[in-house]
Amino acid sequence: MGGHKEQGGARQGFDVADAAPLLLDPHGLVTGWTAHAERLLGHRAEEAVGRKFADLLEAEDAERMEDLLDRCRTGGDGTGLMTALHRDGRPVPVSVRVTPTTVPQGRPGVLVLLSELGDGARGWDMSRGVLEQIVVGNPIGIAIVDTELRFVWSNAALEQWGGGPGRTRVGLRVADVQPGMDSEAVEGRMRHVLETGEQVIGYEYVGRVRSAPLRETAHMLSFTRLEDERGDPMGVYYTVVDVTDRHRARQRLALLDRAGQYIGRTLDVMTTAQELADVAVPGLADFVTVDLLETVLHGAEPVPEPLAGSERIPLRRAGHRSLYEDLPRTSVDSGAVVSYLADSPPVRCLTTGRSWRQGQLDPLAVEWSADAPDGRGSTFLELGLQSVMIVPIRARGVTLGLTTFFRRRQSPFDADDLHLAEDLVSRAAVCVENARRYTRERDAALVLQRSLLPRRLPDQDAVEVAACYRPADELTGLGGDWYDLIPLSGARVALVVGEVPGHGIDAAAAMGRLRTAVRTLAAIDLPPEEVLAHLDDLALRSARDDGDGEGDDDGERGVRQGNSVGSACLYVVYDPADGRCTMAAAGHPAPAVVAPDGAVGFVDLPQGPALGVGGPPFEAVELSLDEGSTLVLHTDGLLAHGDGGAEGTGRERLRRALEGTARELRPSCQAVVDALVPVRPEDDVAVLMARTRRLAPGQIAAWDLPPDPAVVADARRTAQDQLARWGLDEELKFTTELLVSELVTNAIRHASGRVRLRLIRERTLVCEVLDGGASAPHLRHPRAMDEGGRGLLLVSQLAERWGTRFVPDGKIIWAEQPLPASSE
């Protein structure tokens, strides 16, 4: 529109008091029709309501009406000259004024004022009466203030918010009528409208009014400047609509949205309960407590049956939050035991699973807690508590605990507050249940971890050891990396470090299977390269049993979590008798060696393929370590952090970390991990540090024997003399003499080549006989009349442990006996 003729004509002939009012929605549909509009255009209300107002205009003006509606949608208003169509079809020239407004439900609308143009038009004579029809019966509060912001006039609807009838308001200001209201904010909008002429539409005021002094309400206000014929400001016309219900609905949605963001951010039961209390204060209550069943905190399954009949229901305070420092004075700390009096509302809610609300507590009633200090409970008046809601925390049909909401100065809890509390607690209950189930699963996982990783490394004299493990899975604390120390025959030890692909329980289970296999293979004293070969076969069989790798286009075996395929392992055997160290690796980084003088180097170890993926055979290397050298075995996670995880860079970082470590082994191991690995690594890390020791020359005695049966007696005497020099008792001498006799006799009779006898006095007494045979002896159970076959049977009865191991020049049969406590 915008034509000068239209705007000017409208201003010259328009009088709001003579206009026919009607209401439209933002889309131009008629929602309110008055008797004045019916007299002007002839359409009855039932015919007009629901139609587009543009349909009541000529076609050209219908398009202009759309422009006016667009202006209203953006907060403006407008006027224009148009031609309306009477019900009988004749044209009716009218002046149209449109302005945005708010309907009683708080929704936006458009107020249209039609004024007939032409001589003798009815309505121009009813200015006062028509104005009263518009405003007196309107449910929207309407008021006019002058340029000094003093009331000039108000309708009856404004009285519902307090302040008395309209005639008593005249000459007063907002602060006089509503003393508890933020009058400066409201009058600031009025002054802005007076000074600029800009309308203020949809200003929302939230606070307390005289009609509801104890609860927070919300009102939508719109302000329009009134002008005289010259366009000078005369005052402000404003409307008031109660939108408290809409405001509270938004608050509820905001509270639930905040609950969705803040409750359940961790999988800790106590933290989740505290988050529930934090979210509810102050948005819903002044003081909130969260009490959970004792079993829930431990991750155990809650009892599905009703808890009624229990003399005492174990509860613990899992969370609480107060808006006031002194509310309440007898608060129970988080983690403390909570008990309630029998048949009190909390107990009833817990046993029935139903919520309970009391809008006004009896001020002289005693609190429900059974743990009041000095045996005297405080009254609700002393605690300053006026209104309460108790909502059970329920998930999967089972009650987990209680949430109690208190108010002190806010309005009493109503039914809507209880519905909101139930929605809030219901959402939190899911998080509490998830945290409980996680606690149960994590505890089970930790038990599994403790059963798979060594709780403590066995005592032995070959090496001083320290280990450190840091998993990548922060939820379960489990991973696929492991370490182990296995005592072997002849005072030797096996040091093992390995890793299985993946994290979590599946990887830990696969690691447990692999670690068990390593211990089994170590028990039969196989060389490192043969141990890895057997592990490789085990991984292949595991993959076939699980169907792993089937359907691969490239024909390679797949690697999946929970399977041993792709696992890595480093197996090291150290002999403290001569300092020899033999090792082999399957897809695993070589160990570092810290010399006694602190120099750090890395073993040049051939890298065999990972277990189960195929490739060349495994190779072992042998080196001699000085006493006091430190072997540093680690998984590849130790070198994977920083500088892109390149191996050369990782080794250099490890070298620097090892050069700066202390002499004590255990803090050194932890310091290396802390220096190279973040608190939450991307990959599991296992480190095993072993400082070598040597057996003293006086702890070992060895003799080469000719392959002649006549030397058996000499071997018995020689061994007996050595035990006497060691100060061992007669009983041990006797059993050792029998062992030496049987082992030497067996070697001379069934093997070929040289025979060597060796005694080692360590934590046990070890008797070893080396011969050049390549076949392992077999323990037989001879019958009573058999002439032979009793030698090894006798050895097995006399020795605590015995066995056979193969060496490059033959085999060694060994037997161990425990030493008396006084001689160890």
Side-chain angles (χ1 to χ4, degrees), residues 701-703 705 715 719 740 744 755-759 767-770:
W703 303 272
L705 305 176
V740 169
V744 172
V755 176
R756 182 177 178 83
L757 170 65
R758 185 169 73 160
L759 298 178
C767 177
E768 295 181 345
V769 175
L770 166 70

Side-chain angles (χ1 to χ4, degrees), residues 512-522 531 535 538:
R513 293 196 299 267
L514 205 58
R515 177 172 174 260
T516 301
V518 170
R519 281 186 157 266
T520 301
L521 295 170
V531 170
L535 290 178
L538 175 66

Side-chain angles (χ1 to χ4, degrees), residues 19 40 88 141 203 256 264 269 299 321 447 489 514 536 626 695 707 732:
L40 179 62
D88 59 10
Y203 167 68
L256 294 177
V269 175
R321 174 66 64 184
V447 171
S489 63
L514 205 58
D536 187 59
D626 295 330
L695 297 180
L732 194 61

Side-chain angles (χ1 to χ4, degrees), residues 76-136:
D77 60 358
T79 60
L81 301 179
M82 298 185 183
T83 301
L85 297 176
H86 195 274
R87 187 172 183 271
D88 59 10
R90 60 183 174 86
V92 180
V94 292
S95 176
V96 181
R97 181 169 184 174
V98 295
T99 184
T101 188
T102 305
V103 299
Q105 292 78 15
R107 296 192 299 271
V110 177
L111 175 64
V112 180
L113 299 176
L114 301 180
S115 182
E116 185 177 7
L117 301 178
D119 298 333
R122 296 185 62 218
W124 296 103
D125 301 328
M126 303 186 309
S127 58
R128 182 76 180 182
V130 171
L131 179 60
E132 291 180 353
Q133 290 180 43
I134 295 174
V135 298
V136 171

Side-chain angles (χ1 to χ4, degrees), residues 12-323:
Q12 291 174 5
F14 198 96
D15 184 353
V16 66
D18 297 325
L22 55 101
L23 288 175
L24 308 180
D25 69 7
H27 304 290
L29 294 178
V30 178
T31 59
W33 191 259
T34 62
H36 195 178
E38 181 178 348
R39 287 195 298 269
L40 179 62
L41 299 181
H43 299 280
R44 294 189 297 274
E46 59 269 21
E47 297 173 337
V49 173
R51 295 181 61 183
K52 294 194 69 172
F53 178 71
D55 295 341
L56 305 179
L57 305 174
E58 289 187 348
E60 181 180 357
D61 293 331
E63 297 178 0
R64 295 177 179 177
M65 188 63 196
E66 290 297 326
D67 294 337
L68 288 178
L69 290 175
D70 288 339
R71 190 177 304 176
C72 288
R73 294 187 190 106
T74 59
D77 60 358
T79 60
L81 301 179
M82 298 185 183
T83 301
L85 297 176
H86 195 274
R87 187 172 183 271
D88 59 10
R90 60 183 174 86
V92 180
V94 292
S95 176
V96 181
R97 181 169 184 174
V98 295
T99 184
T101 188
T102 305
V103 299
Q105 292 78 15
R107 296 192 299 271
V110 177
L111 175 64
V112 180
L113 299 176
L114 301 180
S115 182
E116 185 177 7
L117 301 178
D119 298 333
R122 296 185 62 218
W124 296 103
D125 301 328
M126 303 186 309
S127 58
R128 182 76 180 182
V130 171
L131 179 60
E132 291 180 353
Q133 290 180 43
I134 295 174
V135 298
V136 171
N138 199 320
I140 299 175
I142 303 174
I144 299 175
V145 297
D146 60 18
T147 55
E148 295 182 0
L149 307 184
R150 297 184 181 278
F151 282 98
V152 175
W153 175 89
S154 62
N155 69 344
L158 198 65
E159 299 174 12
Q160 62 185 302
W161 294 290
R167 63 178 179 275
T168 64
R169 298 172 185 261
V170 175
L172 302 178
R173 297 177 62 164
V174 173
D176 302 323
V177 177
Q178 295 285 354
M181 194 174 187
D182 186 2
S183 57
E184 293 185 4
V186 175
E187 290 186 348
R189 277 21 180 221
M190 294 181 181
R191 291 191 183 94
H192 175 77
V193 172
L194 281 174
E195 294 170 0
T196 64
E198 298 177 357
Q199 282 188 312
V200 174
I201 304 296
Y203 167 68
E204 185 172 306
Y205 172 81
V206 179
R208 287 178 169 81
V209 297
R210 295 184 68 172
S211 61
L214 297 180
R215 68 184 182 95
E216 190 177 72
T217 57
H219 297 86
M220 189 76 72
L221 290 84
S222 296
F223 304 91
T224 303
R225 187 171 75 177
L226 296 177
E227 302 172 352
D228 59 18
E229 295 179 354
R230 295 187 301 274
D232 295 330
M234 298 171 55
V236 175
Y237 157 83
Y238 73 90
T239 60
V240 183
V241 178
D242 190 342
V243 293
T244 301
D245 291 342
R246 187 175 70 180
H247 173 72
R248 296 188 67 183
R250 285 204 311 268
Q251 284 185 316
R252 293 186 181 96
L253 291 176
L255 182 63
L256 294 177
D257 180 66
R258 186 165 178 262
Q261 295 180 14
Y262 290 94
I263 299 178
R265 290 178 294 178
T266 68
L267 287 174
D268 179 77
V269 175
M270 293 288 288
T271 301
T272 302
Q274 185 61 48
E275 289 169 344
L276 169 59
D278 292 341
V279 166
V281 176
L284 181 58
D286 295 333
F287 177 57
V288 174
T289 63
V290 182
D291 303 325
L292 296 177
L293 294 173
E294 186 88 26
T295 54
V296 174
L297 295 177
H298 297 153
E301 287 288 344
V303 180
E305 295 81 11
L307 299 172
S310 301
E311 295 183 0
R312 180 182 176 87
I313 301 173
L315 290 170
R316 284 194 180 269
R317 178 61 46 82
H320 62 91
R321 174 66 64 184
S322 177
L323 185 61

Side-chain angles (χ1 to χ4, degrees), residues 555-787:
E556 296 182 356
R557 299 176 179 89
V559 178
R560 72 181 186 183
Q561 182 169 314
N563 200 305
S564 300
V565 174
S567 300
C569 184
L570 174 65
Y571 190 87
V572 180
V573 175
Y574 174 71
D575 190 344
D578 53 13
R580 285 187 302 170
C581 182
T582 308
M583 64 184 70
H588 201 283
V593 179
V594 183
D597 61 1
V600 180
F602 293 89
V603 179
D604 185 11
L605 178 64
Q607 284 295 303
L611 300 178
V613 301
F618 301 101
E619 298 181 46
V621 296
E622 184 177 299
L623 61 152
S624 180
L625 296 176
D626 295 330
E627 185 174 11
S629 301
T630 302
L631 272 170
V632 182
L633 288 70
H634 60 86
T635 55
D636 58 6
L638 186 69
L639 307 180
H641 304 89
D643 299 325
E647 180 180 1
T649 305
R651 279 191 170 188
E652 185 58 34
R653 293 174 63 240
L654 177 58
R655 184 193 303 275
R656 291 196 299 268
L658 290 172
E659 288 174 346
T661 55
R663 180 63 184 171
E664 292 78 8
L665 204 57
R666 187 173 301 280
S668 297
C669 185
Q670 186 65 52
V672 168
V673 174
D674 291 341
L676 300 181
V677 182
V679 176
R680 296 179 178 178
E682 296 179 1
D683 192 12
D684 305 322
V685 176
V687 178
L688 179 64
M689 299 178 69
R691 182 166 293 152
T692 59
R693 297 168 176 157
R694 289 284 188 93
L695 297 180
Q699 292 180 269
I700 306 173
W703 303 272
D704 289 322
L705 305 176
D708 183 355
V711 303
V712 174
D714 294 336
R716 288 199 300 266
R717 287 192 298 272
T718 301
Q720 198 171 41
D721 293 342
Q722 182 61 48
L723 265 61
R725 285 192 290 273
W726 282 338
L728 300 179
D729 59 24
E730 292 300 325
E731 183 179 353
L732 194 61
K733 292 178 184 178
F734 175 73
T735 56
T736 303
E737 182 180 355
L738 291 178
L739 289 174
V740 169
S741 178
E742 294 299 332
L743 293 179
V744 172
T745 299
N746 189 71
I748 294 174
R749 178 178 300 174
H750 299 289
S752 60
R754 71 187 184 97
V755 176
R756 182 177 178 83
L757 170 65
R758 185 169 73 160
L759 298 178
I760 301 175
R761 181 178 178 271
E762 193 215 18
R763 292 174 181 265
T764 60
L765 179 62
V766 182
C767 177
E768 295 181 345
V769 175
L770 166 70
D771 62 56
S775 59
H778 297 285
L779 179 65
R780 293 186 296 171
H781 297 274
R783 291 169 296 187
M785 303 303 296
D786 290 344
E787 296 182 359

